[in-house]
Amino acid sequence: MTMSNASHDKPAMDPALLAKLTGGLGDRGRVAKICSSFGEIYSEFFPDVIKSETGLDVTVNYLGCEIGYKNHLIDDLSSNVTLVDVTLRNWSQNITIACGNGFVITLMEHLLGATADTIEEPAHRLLSIIEMDLAVMVFDKIAKVLRSAVNAPGGFEPSLSVPHALEVRARPPEDRPDEFAAAINMSITLAGIVSEFSLIVPQTALLKTKVTPPKPKRQTGQSAEWTEQLGDQVRRSHVTLEAKIRLQDLTLRTISKLMVGDVIPFRDHGDVRVEVSANSKELYVCEFGRSGENYMVRVKDTMNSDDELIRHLMN
């Protein structure tokens, strides 16, 4: 007579039931009410944060929440978003914030001097390196409002990962159990351009939280500081330059017979005119020459003012 192993015969507990028993999954109505409280906080306070930092007016509206496994909620996000992973000590180690790229792109254009009547609906694309720098500041402000709303013990600051596109997000290990979470979804409108941002938070954190409005703080004088910081980041960004020199006109017959080693003269005599550009935007008029063993170009004239050059490079 063989005896069966009792542990093998015992069926595994349903993950949802286990989560409910251990505080990781709550009643849908209760979770929705908590998410709605977050929506009210962001709708009321986040526009003030953006206004104080940039001088710009935005409108934030709560769109509702979605409930499910955290990784599934992230997979369901629009592809046109950038993400950060956030930890807030004594509250949750597994928060994810998503922000629509359209908001960051529009905000960048405003901060670089564009006016509302010249800004068009941004294309669905990844953020540039410079826009990623701005996204760091946007995510920091979203996380600071979260920290104030949950009032986690110890008063610790949130810790944020480097922003990354949804499409390059590392897949979680298959053997790592997923958590039940809620996606708190909000729209944010700047100069008529509507985008969204979301907080994806494990229910283990939400269900133990009493959401409280942040205490208003005087934040005067920060707009210039934030804009100056952005401007400094923009000016320190690396840009690939291209130099174009006009060559002597040749007939198609001659061009078709060019061989390796043949020489084509410059069109200019004396100082050779060079047009320097970046991102297909003409920046400088230069002259071609040589410095020691290196060829170089010397700037003779600029196409536009400093601010106009920067705006050209951003587009």
Side-chain angles (χ1 to χ4, degrees):
M1 179 178 179
T2 60
M3 298 191 58
S4 62
N5 189 321
S7 63
H8 290 172
D9 294 340
K10 185 178 180 179
M13 182 177 292
D14 177 69
L17 177 58
L18 177 61
K20 285 184 178 181
L21 293 175
T22 57
L25 178 61
D27 174 79
R28 180 173 291 271
R30 182 185 173 196
V31 173
K33 185 175 181 181
I34 296 172
C35 292
S36 177
S37 297
F38 277 102
E40 292 174 6
I41 295 292
Y42 275 93
S43 296
E44 181 176 356
F45 289 93
F46 197 57
D48 291 341
V49 172
I50 297 297
K51 178 72 172 181
S52 67
E53 297 289 356
T54 68
L56 299 172
D57 294 308
V58 301
T59 302
V60 175
N61 290 303
Y62 176 56
L63 300 177
C65 68
E66 296 181 26
I67 296 171
Y69 283 112
K70 184 170 185 286
N71 291 326
H72 294 173
L73 293 173
I74 293 174
D75 289 339
D76 288 341
L77 292 169
S78 163
S79 60
N80 192 40
V81 298
T82 298
L83 308 174
V84 294
D85 294 315
V86 182
T87 62
L88 181 56
R89 189 171 174 183
N90 293 339
W91 194 67
S92 177
Q93 304 295 305
N94 191 24
I95 310 159
T96 298
I97 301 177
C99 184
N101 294 342
F103 174 68
V104 179
I105 294 169
T106 304
L107 180 60
M108 175 67 82
E109 292 191 25
H110 272 282
L111 293 178
L112 292 176
T115 57
D117 59 333
T118 63
I119 294 178
E120 300 179 351
E121 188 74 31
H124 284 226
R125 62 170 176 82
L126 299 178
L127 297 182
S128 68
I129 294 175
I130 300 174
E131 289 163 347
M132 278 291 193
D133 288 339
L134 177 58
V136 170
M137 290 186 271
V138 172
F139 282 118
D140 178 70
K141 302 308 173 187
I142 296 174
K144 289 291 179 59
V145 173
L146 173 67
R147 170 193 175 276
S148 298
V150 302
N151 195 25
F156 295 100
E157 294 293 326
S159 176
L160 282 66
S161 72
V162 175
H164 54 278
L166 178 62
E167 66 179 34
V168 300
R169 184 176 180 82
R171 300 299 304 173
E174 294 183 1
D175 59 349
R176 178 181 297 175
D178 204 352
E179 291 187 87
F180 286 99
I184 306 166
N185 302 318
M186 283 154 287
S187 69
I188 183 165
T189 305
L190 171 59
I193 305 297
V194 182
S195 190
E196 295 183 9
F197 68 95
S198 301
L199 286 83
I200 301 95
V201 182
Q203 291 192 32
T204 50
L206 291 177
L207 294 170
K208 65 182 181 183
T209 300
K210 178 178 174 58
V211 182
T212 56
K215 294 180 181 180
K217 294 182 180 180
R218 292 182 60 84
Q219 297 181 334
T220 57
Q222 294 185 7
S223 175
E225 178 184 346
W226 210 52
T227 304
E228 182 180 347
Q229 182 181 356
L230 171 64
D232 183 57
Q233 287 175 322
V234 168
R235 287 168 173 80
R236 286 189 288 106
S237 299
H238 292 278
V239 177
T240 300
L241 298 177
E242 298 174 349
K244 181 173 64 178
I245 300 175
R246 296 185 183 277
L247 302 178
Q248 188 179 84
D249 293 340
L250 300 176
T251 65
L252 284 174
R253 182 185 301 277
T254 302
I255 293 173
S256 66
K257 294 181 178 180
L258 287 174
M259 304 292 288
V260 175
D262 287 345
V263 175
I264 304 175
F266 295 144
R267 187 181 68 174
D268 298 330
H269 299 284
D271 293 337
V272 178
R273 177 188 172 98
V274 181
E275 295 176 354
V276 174
S277 63
N279 296 352
S280 300
K281 305 291 184 180
E282 292 185 351
L283 303 180
Y284 303 105
V285 175
C286 303
E287 60 183 11
F288 181 76
R290 189 167 181 168
S291 176
E293 297 182 353
N294 299 318
Y295 290 99
M296 55 81 183
V297 294
R298 178 182 290 110
V299 176
K300 295 184 66 177
D301 194 13
T302 60
M303 297 293 190
N304 297 284
S305 67
D306 290 349
D307 289 339
E308 288 173 327
L309 288 176
I310 291 173
R311 284 199 294 273
H312 282 324
L313 293 173
M314 292 304 303
N315 293 333

